[in-house]
């Protein structure tokens, strides 16, 4: 009597088709539910728990991706798995990305790297690009930002990716009064400059667009009174990365 394989299932919060935000070209982006971090500036608190996602098999998600396959190929795009934190569901991510690679689609993984040790070699074999969110370069600031995490796993993951030749786009969220201290910015820049496969750095200005989600969930938004960074601060911080020879967006 043969034993039927149990389909790999993940918790998918939502999906979108976007251009120029989650990797090159037009992307099919799957947002998975569940994240171990509680970043003060998170604009998607509705993705913190896996129970907030829709149970979805690999076949179901790939079937949905196939509807856009021709369009995203013509548009020079691909598929991005985001979150939440996708590496909280590594088996599901591995199978989806492997199937996308077999379809000839460019693949990207959007992650904080905090759970990078959960990504096995087979998963990374199916990744063409990693969008790596480096929250801070100072360990103490990193912990204040994430409220639960440590910097070391992200740095370790970045060097593992570089060792495999995987391109990286770094993302750094600039929050006045939280991540903008010059010593913290320089520490991030030093980390990034030591990773040879980093292709670009995106310095992202903090915004309060997710405040309504916190209110709807009955959760206090810790940065409700924080103003977005001004142009002068953004220019200064971007300049610290450029000073190390990095391409900055």
């Amino acid at each position: 009597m043969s034993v039927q394989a149990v389909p790999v299932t993940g918790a998918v919060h939502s999906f979108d088709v976007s251009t120029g935000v989650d990797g090159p070209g037009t992307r099919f982006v799957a947002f998975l539910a569940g994240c171990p971090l509680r970043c003060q500036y998170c604009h998607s608190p509705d993705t913190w728990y896996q129970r907030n996602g829709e149970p979805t098999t690999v076949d179901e998600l790939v079937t949905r991706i196939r509807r856009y396959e021709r369009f995203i190929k013509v548009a020079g795009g691909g598929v991005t798995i985001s979150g939440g934190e996708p590496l909280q569901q590594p088996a599901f991510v591995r199978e989806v990305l492997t199937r996308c690679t077999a379809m000839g689609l460019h693949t990207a993984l959007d992650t904080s790297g905090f759970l990078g040790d959960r990504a096995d070699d087979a998963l990374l074999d199916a990744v063409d690009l990693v969008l790596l969110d480096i929250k801070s370069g100072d360990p103490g600031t990193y912990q204040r930002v994430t409220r639960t995490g440590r910097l070391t796993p992200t740095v370790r993951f970045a060097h593992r990716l570089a060792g495999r030749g995987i391109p990286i786009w770094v993302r750094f969220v600039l929050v006045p009064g939280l991540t903008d201290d010059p010593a913290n910015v320089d520490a991030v820049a030093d980390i990034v400059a030591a990773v040879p496969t980093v292709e670009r750095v995106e310095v992202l200005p903090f915004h309060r667009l997710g405040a309504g989600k916190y209110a709807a969930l009955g959760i206090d938004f810790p940065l409700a009174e924080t103003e977005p960074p001004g142009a002068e601060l953004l220019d200064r911080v971007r300049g610290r990365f450029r000073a190390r020879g990095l391409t900055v967006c």
Side-chain angles (χ1 to χ4, degrees):
M1 180 177 178
S2 62
V3 178
Q4 293 282 340
V6 177
V8 177
T9 301
V12 177
H13 178 269
S14 56
F15 69 90
D16 192 13
V17 176
S18 65
T19 301
V21 178
D22 300 290
T26 299
R27 319 286 300 179
F28 179 99
V29 186
F31 299 94
L32 306 193
C35 182
L37 305 180
R38 294 294 179 266
C39 298
Q40 291 196 47
Y41 55 69
C42 179
H43 61 271
S44 299
D46 49 334
T47 67
W48 285 350
Y49 301 102
Q50 283 186 230
R51 63 174 178 267
N52 292 336
E54 181 71 23
T56 305
T57 67
V58 171
D59 283 345
E60 288 170 338
L61 183 54
V62 171
T63 296
R64 186 177 291 275
I65 292 169
R66 284 191 183 278
R67 297 176 191 171
Y68 299 87
E69 179 182 2
R70 179 173 174 76
F71 172 64
I72 58 181
K73 281 182 175 178
V74 170
V79 174
T80 299
I81 306 298
S82 186
E85 172 49 67
L87 292 182
Q88 191 161 302
Q89 304 180 57
F92 181 73
V93 171
R94 179 179 62 245
E95 295 306 314
V96 171
L97 293 181
T98 298
R99 296 274 292 275
C100 289
T101 298
M103 292 161 59
L105 292 169
H106 180 276
T107 60
L109 177 68
D110 183 4
T111 175
S112 71
F114 179 63
L115 299 180
D117 290 345
R118 294 192 181 187
D120 61 18
D121 289 346
L123 189 158
L124 295 183
D125 283 343
V127 174
D128 295 312
L129 171 70
V130 171
L131 309 175
L132 186 62
D133 185 6
I134 300 183
K135 313 289 184 179
S136 283
D138 169 71
T141 305
Y142 188 98
Q143 211 158 38
R144 285 196 298 276
V145 169
T146 63
R147 297 186 283 188
T148 57
R150 294 176 295 109
L151 172 62
T152 305
T154 296
V155 177
R156 183 168 62 241
F157 186 57
H159 284 281
R160 182 176 168 214
L161 295 173
R164 298 177 64 87
I166 297 175
I168 302 169
W169 291 6
V170 168
R171 290 170 163 177
F172 171 64
V173 180
L174 181 60
V175 185
L178 181 62
T179 67
D180 63 335
D181 182 88
N184 183 56
V185 172
D186 284 348
V188 177
D190 288 341
I191 290 168
V192 175
V195 182
T197 58
V198 171
E199 294 184 340
R200 59 193 272 184
V201 178
E202 298 176 357
V203 178
L204 305 176
F206 160 75
H207 60 73
R208 296 180 294 200
L209 298 180
K213 294 181 180 180
Y214 284 84
L217 294 169
I219 303 171
D220 288 335
F221 181 31
L223 300 178
E225 305 301 321
T226 301
E227 294 290 334
E232 183 178 344
L233 176 57
L234 278 166
D235 287 345
R236 174 177 68 79
V237 170
R238 287 170 176 153
R240 300 309 301 159
F241 288 95
R242 292 192 180 103
R244 288 159 174 79
L246 298 161
T247 299
V248 183
C249 302

